Amino acid sequence: MAAAAAQEPEVIRDKAAMRAWSRRRRAEGKAVALVPTMGFLHDGHLSLVSAARAAAAGPVAVVVSIYVNPSQFAPTEDLATYPSDFAGDLRKLVATGVVAAVFCPPDLYVRGSAGRPTASASGGAASCLEEAGGHAHETWIRVEQLEKGLCGSSRPVFFRGVATVVAKLFNIVEPDIAVFGKKDYQQWRVICRMVRDLDFAIEIIGSEIVREADGLAMSSRNVHLSCEEREKALSISRSLVNARTSVLNGNNHGQQIKDQIVQTLTEAGGQVDYVEIVEQESLTPVERIDRPAVICVAAWFGKVRLIDNIELQAPS
């Protein structure tokens, strides 16, 4: 007998319909698990779906949201060119066999005096930060300490946008569980703190980084790398693995380790945004690796900004 075809997830675009769907699933005795994404899905995203399915002890309804969040892009950033392939995303989610619904709203923000989305001057999607006046969206969530430093230094509006849209998704989907990838380490910690501080009754799962066979951390932006840039970008994961080996061999001098990573990336042709070693939960910098820490890296290769990290335990 042929195997049954995978059931296609229900595609939901309306906020009220999404909330009603979740409440029906909960009335059926199911937990609701949310995987927020911006689409252009790869195996890293699909690992989050698997983690969501495994997170609940009993029956679970997995929801994947696909929404390119304009509020986390400054007007000068790559919102208009962010890759998209909804049909391909849906095929991948169908193939998992575990996704019950896909939430893909057209817009989650009230825009301008007429309340309508607008386009940027270049003809692409517009950052919410370009909107002002009238009845435009003006309520934001700040996780004031954790959003500083790391990506927050060069992208000052990013975590305000992330925290706000995730809170909106939580209020719409009303999940019991939400899964975030630890490649975006600071983002994961910001969401954990927001959930704790604002009393969301949601379990936040941090899922491990998924890498290509050559070690490059999976990212939707990798598609924009040329073959040469992609080869050079392997210096990120290579430098992080070497740093962890150094720590395991007893080197706990943070600055020495950071300098070596910067040298490796620069020699490979990368433009370093930051290399920082921080405590895992508070994200405060550590000079000596004498407690659980994480090395976080952001670097440009060509026009593509890549981030990566590796968690460390203190040398014994």
Side-chain angles (χ1 to χ4, degrees):
M1 180 181 296
Q7 182 175 355
E8 187 162 324
E10 183 174 348
V11 176
I12 303 172
R13 300 185 184 276
D14 178 73
K15 292 183 285 188
M18 182 70 252
R19 187 177 291 115
W21 185 97
S22 291
R23 292 179 180 181
R24 287 195 299 272
R25 301 295 83 75
R26 195 169 289 106
E28 295 167 356
K30 297 177 180 177
V32 176
L34 172 65
V35 179
T37 82
M38 294 208 301
F40 209 71
L41 304 182
H42 50 66
D43 285 349
H45 295 109
L46 301 182
S47 76
L48 304 183
V49 171
S50 298
R53 177 64 185 86
V60 60
V62 177
V63 179
V64 174
S65 64
I66 296 177
Y67 181 67
V68 180
N69 173 34
S71 71
Q72 68 193 56
F73 292 81
T76 57
E77 293 179 338
D78 61 345
L79 172 60
T81 60
Y82 196 85
S84 175
D85 179 15
F86 182 74
D89 290 344
L90 196 57
R91 286 194 298 271
K92 292 172 185 177
L93 295 176
V94 168
T96 69
V98 301
V99 177
V102 176
F103 179 49
C104 51
D107 194 42
L108 288 178
Y109 294 88
V110 175
R111 306 290 194 94
S113 59
R116 294 190 300 269
T118 59
S120 68
S122 63
S127 165
C128 286
L129 304 174
E130 296 175 330
E131 306 285 345
H135 300 286
H137 181 96
E138 60 175 319
T139 304
W140 303 99
I141 293 177
R142 306 299 297 253
V143 182
E144 294 191 354
Q145 293 304 313
L146 284 182
E147 71 174 37
K148 295 178 179 178
L150 302 178
C151 287
S153 295
S154 60
R155 304 187 71 191
V157 304
F158 178 74
F159 291 110
R160 182 185 82 163
V162 168
T164 300
V165 82
V166 170
K168 289 168 78 68
L169 289 170
F170 286 172
N171 284 331
I172 295 165
V173 181
E174 298 182 341
D176 303 287
I177 298 160
V179 183
F180 294 83
K182 289 167 71 173
K183 180 176 75 72
D184 301 286
Y185 200 90
Q186 187 177 14
Q187 173 179 281
W188 170 53
R189 290 300 189 186
V190 163
I191 297 305
C192 288
R193 188 64 57 85
M194 179 189 77
V195 164
R196 186 199 73 176
D197 290 355
L198 297 184
D199 296 307
F200 283 99
I202 301 170
E203 179 186 1
I204 303 298
I205 305 292
S207 189
E208 298 301 324
I209 296 172
V210 176
R211 299 183 180 277
E212 304 283 359
D214 56 13
L216 186 68
M218 290 188 177
S219 168
S220 297
R221 288 186 170 95
N222 290 350
V223 69
H224 293 313
L225 293 167
S226 69
C227 292
E228 182 181 1
E229 290 164 351
R230 195 186 187 289
E231 185 66 27
K232 292 177 177 180
L234 298 179
S235 60
I236 300 177
S237 56
R238 185 166 60 246
S239 67
L240 288 172
V241 170
N242 290 341
R244 181 175 61 184
T245 300
S246 181
V247 172
L248 291 173
N249 288 336
N251 182 3
N252 67 355
H253 297 280
Q255 190 61 53
Q256 185 181 107
I257 291 170
K258 290 194 295 181
D259 289 345
Q260 184 58 56
I261 294 173
V262 170
Q263 180 181 343
T264 299
L265 299 182
T266 302
E267 289 177 350
Q271 180 183 343
V272 176
D273 184 347
Y274 65 78
V275 175
E276 295 292 346
I277 303 177
V278 297
E279 194 273 332
Q280 289 185 8
E281 188 169 344
S282 68
L283 303 185
T284 54
V286 298
E287 294 182 2
R288 300 183 71 84
I289 304 168
D290 54 4
R291 71 202 82 168
V294 57
I295 307 175
C296 296
V297 171
W300 292 86
F301 286 86
K303 296 182 179 180
V304 183
R305 183 178 181 275
L306 301 175
I307 62 172
D308 203 344
N309 67 78
I310 196 164
E311 291 180 313
L312 305 172
Q313 300 303 316
S316 55

